[in-house]
Amino acid sequence: MEDSNFPLDFNEDEETLDEDEFNIPKFSLPTLESILAEPDDESTLVLDELSLSNVPDEGTSSILAESINALSEDYRPPELDALKNWETTSIASNESRPKERGIKSVHGSVISLNRMTMLSENLASSAEKRSAGRPTVLAVSSLIGVGTSRGFVLIFDTDQKLKMCLGTPQIGEKYGGVSALEFNIDVTRMLVGYSKGEILMYDITNGKLLRTITDATPPGTAVLHVKFTDDLTLAVCNDSGGSVFELNFRRVMGVRSCESRCLFSGSRGEVCTIAPLHLTQVIADHAVRDRHLLAMGTLTKVFVVALRPKTKVVFLHRLGMNPSSAPLISWKLSHFKYNDHTTVDPMLMFARGDVVYFFHARCEGWGDIKFVHLRTMNLTYKIINLAWINSQTIVLVDVREQLHVLDVDSQTDLESKSADHIKMVYNNATFKSIATGGNVSAALATVGERACYHSMVSNGGSIYLLGYDSIYTATLNNWKDRINIALTYSHQHALKLALTFYNGTAKAAIGLPSGNREERMNLVSEMILEILVEFVDLSMTSLCPDSGKLQVLIDFYRNVVPVCVDHCLHIGRVDVLFTRIYERFRDDCVAHGAFLECLEPYIINDRLMIINPQVMKDFIEHYQAKNMLESIEQCLLHLSVESLDLNQVMHMCWAYGLYDAIISIHSRGMNDFITPFCELLLMLQSSLKTGNPLSDKLTTLGNKLLVYMSSCLAGIAYPTGNLARSTSMSVKDQMFECLTTPFMTEKGLEGIYPVVQTLLHFSTKEFLNVLSLNFAEEYFRDEEGCSKVQCIVDILLQVMVENEGFRPDQIGSLFTFLARQSARQNSPLHLTTLLRHQVVEFLTTPSDNSTDNEERQQALVELLECGVLSSDDRERSGETARLVELAEQAAFYRVLKILHTRSRRFDLVFLAHLRDTSSDSDAFHYVIETMSSYDKSEMEKKLVKTIVMDHIKDLIKLDSGRMASLFMSVFKESMQVIAEKLKDDPLMLFNFLRGIFGDRSKHSSTNDLNKLGGISMESYFGGEDMDDETSTSSYPNDPHICELYLDLLCQYKKDEVLDFVQECYVVRPRTALDLVLRHGADDASAFLLEKSGDISAAFNILIGVCKEKMQLLGSGGGGVEVDVGGGRYYEIINTSMDKVVRLCQRNSKKLVEKQREKLWFSLLDLTLKPQNNGGGQDPPPPHLDFCKERARKTLNSMIGHMSLSAVLQKIIQDPAYKSGEFSEIKNLLLGMLDTYQYEKTLIGTTLHLLSRDRYKSLNQLKSSITHGIAPRSQFCSICRNPLLRGGSATLVTDAASQKMIVFRNGSQYHEGCLLRGGSVSQISLQNCASVEKDRSSFESWRKPQQQQMGASFVSGVQISDNNGGGGGNQKTRERSKSKVRTTSFLQDFEDKRFTLKIKSPPLM
């Protein structure tokens, strides 16, 4: 067992739950006598029940003997449920994960598998010389013991030398092969179990046989396991019968003896493995030291037993059924963190099949042991053995003899390694007890096929594996060894692995200092540097491509350099990057250039901010030579100024115009924000003075200066970043002072206010936009800021208005700027009257640019809204009139809306809305708002109405629907008046009426059907017949308007006529019919004729339409084909025919048989006619198949409306079917028969379902009536007197006082108490509410019972059903709350009404 200094931390799983809060019941673990008394569930423990017939007799009955099965699936200690933290993870093998060829896992080679050569050779020599036989079991402590198949035990020391050989050939012949082996804790004794059931104890110090135990197990069983506990006088063993025995060693008067006691009998569940908990001397005072915990695993469960002071089960866990997998158990001591301290507690790991469980054995006090679930691992492979290799890592062996190394904390599969060459020894012969005749259960024999408990032993950080002829050790590799192994694959793989050790994320890492993080990082970083240097050397020599294009070599180095840079940055060793590694790349010109270019992304991302001066010099020269100046400038913005050669850098920046770099270096390195601005501005001013167009470079310079000025006024760094608060305020003040300085001759700048003047000449609009943007900052918002704004405005006026040199459009931009700033500033700008007039005149001057016009209009709107341009006083009334005139000329409708609203000319506001084409203008909304407003006079509303009437056509063009709604809801004008106004323009009148009718129908639900004469729009063409209902029409009540709209609708939208006549009942039928007939609206004509009862005329119209379309399929007699447009025309014909079919179906019930035959057979003749004309052609016309399919559909539609005999006779008499074969009408006849069979089956099924439902209902009713009701108590719920005596509210002479009332919920009363109230003084508030509920229910039931004598009395007990109480089953709760049990079964039956409604479906 490993020492206990384990760094595991499972504190997150140790939540303490409040038992009262979560209502956790109190529970005490059962005693051994009780938990062994019940058998396992047959469905889950069938393997455990296949036990031996010759189990121990009653004299040796086990303490656990009849038992552990009682802790079945239903049992789980409540403290486990309360404390467990289920964390289940599915872990896939490394082999199952997709990996690139040749690339190893990120964890590297975690474990190494080595053969113990000398020991293996000695083992083979002993087998040959001593005839010891093959190895069978393995035990490891400070010595290594190997048991053989011929009863020998070979003891080896740590040097793999044979120390002694225990046993003789006679022992082997008598007891069989060694099946179990164990050293005691101080390695002075050894227990040896044999396959015939005997156990021997040897003194390891001298090889002397101390005890021969022949009665420890029942006869005929083999010893599977024998284990020492921490008590040198106590051991346990497990036999092939599945029983577990306790062995107590005694020595009295020099005589050694052994007492055997059965702990667990295998008669009801066979134990396959046992594992006692061993505690080291470090935790000698642990609470479980004297408890001697023993874990046992059966075929269905794992449980832990405390052997002292008395035998007691402390834990049980069910295992999943997996007949071919044996249970596995292993203990480990681990550190667990609690609130403020760390303890060392046992951790139990057990598994079966592909599931591994981890539990923490937590000790509370000195007697209470609780097992807390930590996690569950679900594997993708089945395991046959497991072992701890250190405190955080386990090794699993799967059925293919693959070793899997798993990290417990992260539940990661670190590595998989094949071990099939070891040829592990299996204990299947022992589990089958072949030496004693094989009398074991089938379940145990099945599990034993893969049992290898004694072939894998963990000790001292190593795992020993017993092979057929050798022994192997599996050990964790040192961190350096793992990196060196990774180097054999690739340097990059080794570097990636080394980084995990550097970061502390590597799993199963050994050899590194665990407590000193800095020391660990220094150790790993040195190795990383060594690998990097070696990697660079190889990249420059052997790994470098020998041939190919130059680009191949460049790409190679571009893949190498980032590896070096990333790792040096990660470990903080940039000095090595720019010395040893850089010097190596510098030897090759191609590698040197690739190295320098690979630095750029690291600089841009601020990962590399300081560079060696020599490297920086080479970097600039290289980029300069390749003319990559923009890249140099971007890098200079991110590099620290301290690492730059300012003389070289500034000379290059001025020479190549790297303006951003110049500004950035001055501001970051010298804290000078104005000097570079003025120097660059001087260059721009000099170029502007020449009068020549600016070059692209100078244009870029001007834009950069504007952005830089904006950044300074906002107090932020240029081009990116932020400034300190104190620096930010200083920069703002410096830039403002620079703008407002009248003369700057010392800087070389000429003219008055040279900064403002130069930037205005460069781009007036952009400069003013920059000012406008910055004036919104807090710096210009307070009182002092407003004065600064006024100062800059005065400078602008002085420079642009009072001096020459600026174009009118530039002056206009200034005026727009002034207008907006006047509206936005907290205190208005001081502008003279003349200047204000100039601003207005300019803003209202039309421009060819729509964007400029919108900006100017917005400026005027803001001036009006802020009050700079006011029309309230009389002095400015002339200005207002002039402004209105100018706004009309410029089409500034938003300005006109404001001005006319202020002058209360709402009619003119409407005109402005009508002419305004912007999306935010809505003339209809304005009219509605104005006419419904209370602050508008009647005269003002009348003016608005008049102007609206004058522009009615314009409104209709905008939106006829909203126009109609406006007139109907707001103006309430009669439509005749409007129709009269629009009679000269029929299309405009149609649009208006369409708005009225369309708007009205839009508000009606699409699901509601407006019925006219029993025919709806849905049922007319394509729907089912609906019941007659009266729906409220949404159309006007004036028939003349409706008929006028119908006339116009027939002219302009004929396809909507049918919908209209179906929904509108106001129109007069006769007039409507004349209109639709005159305009040829066939569908509407047929609808109106059908509505009037003239079915024949409606049929003739629709059949006529069909004939016109069918004529295109072929000529009358010649069969000459006409191009019909393909399948699309077939669809049109189908639609027309379907309309006729539905007409016939709807009216078949109303017609006599001869009339029905006339309609249906006329339709059938129409569909059969093309077949008669084209049937004899060779080849047949392409439309013949379509016509036959159409005829089949028509025949299907006739089923149910015509007799089958008449239809069949009509088909046979048709010329198309008189000649030819039977196959031509076969499908038609079969279709009729299928329809008949379908309808027959449907009716039979329906009757069956109804009968079954009726039977079920009657059966439930009978059960409810005959079911008895029992009272919950023998006392009345009101008076609390016995039910057989009268209640307190009744008289002794009252005959009814002896009657009792019992409800379904179990409540019981005297009838007198329930009727007259009783004594409720002692009833609680809750019971009082229940009593009142019962009383109300009883009264509702009693009234009809008084009228009929059908009440049920049984022995004086009147029974009532009520759902108001808290009891009753679920079916009772589903009944009506006030319903009382029916007293007459026949009466309930007669109340039921069953009707059968069956409609034949159409034949498909």
Side-chain angles (χ1 to χ4, degrees), residues 485-502:
I485 295 173
L487 274 173
T488 61
Y489 295 97
S490 71
H491 286 74
Q492 296 187 39
H493 178 62
L495 289 170
K496 187 176 182 181
L497 177 61
L499 281 182
T500 63
F501 291 111
Y502 181 84

Side-chain angles (χ1 to χ4, degrees), residues 163-192:
K163 183 178 180 181
M164 64 180 67
C165 178
L166 305 178
T168 63
Q170 292 75 18
I171 292 178
E173 292 177 3
K174 183 178 181 180
Y175 300 148
V178 179
S179 59
L181 204 62
E182 176 78 350
F183 293 101
N184 67 352
I185 192 170
D186 59 359
V187 199
T188 60
R189 300 288 188 269
M190 171 179 278
L191 285 175
V192 183

Side-chain angles (χ1 to χ4, degrees), residues 611-854:
I611 297 180
N612 184 292
Q614 180 61 43
V615 178
M616 188 65 209
K617 180 181 178 181
D618 295 344
F619 178 81
I620 293 176
E621 290 177 354
H622 175 76
Y623 272 72
Q624 189 174 348
K626 298 189 69 173
N627 198 28
M628 300 169 65
L629 300 175
E630 293 183 0
S631 299
I632 292 180
E633 185 175 26
Q634 291 300 317
C635 291
L636 291 175
L637 297 177
H638 294 270
L639 285 170
S640 175
V641 180
E642 290 79 4
S643 65
L644 302 177
D645 184 351
L646 294 181
N647 184 36
Q648 177 197 20
V649 171
M650 294 303 295
H651 183 271
M652 180 194 63
C653 291
W654 282 109
Y656 294 99
L658 307 182
Y659 306 124
D660 285 346
I662 294 172
I663 295 173
S664 177
I665 292 174
H666 272 85
S667 59
R668 292 188 296 122
M670 309 173 190
N671 202 26
D672 185 358
F673 295 86
I674 300 301
T675 300
F677 177 74
C678 294
E679 293 177 353
L680 295 173
L681 190 68
L682 178 60
M683 295 176 56
L684 182 63
Q685 188 184 60
S686 301
S687 181
L688 289 172
K689 283 184 178 181
T690 62
N692 298 324
L694 296 178
S695 63
D696 294 341
K697 189 173 183 179
L698 287 173
T699 302
T700 302
L701 172 61
N703 292 327
K704 289 180 180 293
L705 290 176
L706 289 174
V707 176
Y708 179 65
M709 182 192 75
S710 176
S711 300
C712 291
L713 290 176
I716 59 177
Y718 177 84
T720 58
N722 296 311
L723 298 173
R725 183 173 179 82
S726 58
T727 305
S728 175
M729 293 302 298
S730 174
V731 172
K732 292 179 182 179
D733 294 336
Q734 292 178 38
M735 183 53 68
F736 177 76
E737 183 180 355
C738 182
L739 288 173
T740 56
T741 301
F743 300 101
M744 302 179 69
T745 54
E746 71 280 1
K747 301 286 186 181
L749 297 172
E750 301 178 358
I752 188 171
Y753 299 107
V755 176
V756 174
Q757 191 175 54
T758 302
L759 293 177
L760 283 172
H761 279 293
F762 169 70
S763 178
T764 303
K765 190 172 184 179
E766 294 302 326
F767 176 67
L768 295 176
N769 286 339
V770 169
L771 290 179
S772 178
L773 179 66
N774 285 277
F775 284 170
E777 298 287 338
E778 286 295 329
Y779 184 73
F780 295 100
R781 301 300 293 176
D782 55 9
E783 184 177 352
E784 182 180 357
C786 291
S787 63
K788 293 178 180 179
V789 172
Q790 184 65 50
C791 177
I792 293 178
V793 168
D794 293 340
I795 293 173
L796 291 172
L797 292 173
Q798 182 179 353
V799 172
M800 297 187 68
V801 179
E802 298 179 7
N803 295 316
E804 299 179 354
F806 291 94
R807 301 187 304 273
D809 61 312
Q810 294 175 317
I811 302 296
S813 298
L814 174 63
F815 288 163
T816 304
F817 169 79
L818 294 177
R820 290 199 166 185
Q821 293 306 314
S822 298
R824 293 177 182 177
Q825 291 299 316
N826 294 334
S827 57
L829 297 178
H830 299 290
L831 301 177
T832 63
T833 303
L834 177 60
L835 183 60
R836 189 166 59 249
H837 289 168
Q838 290 177 341
V839 170
V840 172
E841 290 286 343
F842 170 77
L843 293 179
T844 54
T845 301
S847 173
D848 296 334
N849 192 331
S850 59
T851 304
D852 290 342
N853 279 337
E854 184 60 30

Side-chain angles (χ1 to χ4, degrees), residues 1209-1349:
Q1209 184 178 4
K1210 176 64 177 178
I1211 295 173
I1212 295 175
Q1213 293 176 354
D1214 190 270
Y1217 296 102
K1218 282 185 177 180
S1219 61
E1221 299 178 356
F1222 172 74
S1223 60
E1224 296 183 6
I1225 63 172
K1226 177 181 177 181
N1227 293 333
L1228 295 176
L1229 298 178
L1230 290 178
M1232 296 180 184
L1233 294 176
D1234 289 343
T1235 302
Y1236 165 76
Q1237 291 294 338
Y1238 172 76
E1239 293 180 349
K1240 178 181 177 182
T1241 304
L1242 180 63
I1243 293 175
T1245 304
T1246 305
L1247 290 173
H1248 174 70
L1249 292 175
L1250 288 175
S1251 300
R1252 188 174 63 179
D1253 183 65
R1254 178 182 299 179
Y1255 169 78
K1256 185 177 179 180
S1257 301
L1258 295 176
N1259 191 35
Q1260 290 178 351
L1261 184 61
K1262 177 183 176 182
S1263 299
S1264 175
I1265 293 175
T1266 58
H1267 179 67
I1269 301 175
R1272 291 180 298 185
S1273 173
Q1274 299 180 7
F1275 301 93
C1276 176
S1277 298
I1278 297 179
C1279 67
R1280 311 307 300 172
N1281 290 326
L1283 290 175
L1284 298 180
R1285 294 173 51 191
S1288 60
T1290 62
L1291 297 176
V1292 178
T1293 58
D1294 192 352
S1297 63
Q1298 296 300 323
K1299 294 181 180 179
M1300 65 184 77
I1301 309 297
V1302 182
F1303 290 82
R1304 170 128 356 235
N1305 60 9
S1307 57
Q1308 63 287 327
Y1309 307 94
H1310 291 109
E1311 184 183 27
C1313 297
L1314 195 61
L1315 290 176
R1316 287 182 285 274
S1319 175
V1320 296
S1321 60
Q1322 298 179 351
I1323 300 177
S1324 64
L1325 182 61
Q1326 181 180 2
N1327 290 338
C1328 185
S1330 177
V1331 168
E1332 290 300 326
K1333 215 171 196 180
D1334 291 341
R1335 178 180 290 121
S1336 175
S1337 177
F1338 179 68
E1339 288 291 343
S1340 63
W1341 174 83
R1342 184 170 174 269
K1343 290 179 181 178
Q1345 294 300 317
Q1346 291 176 348
Q1347 301 174 4
Q1348 57 182 356
M1349 299 306 295

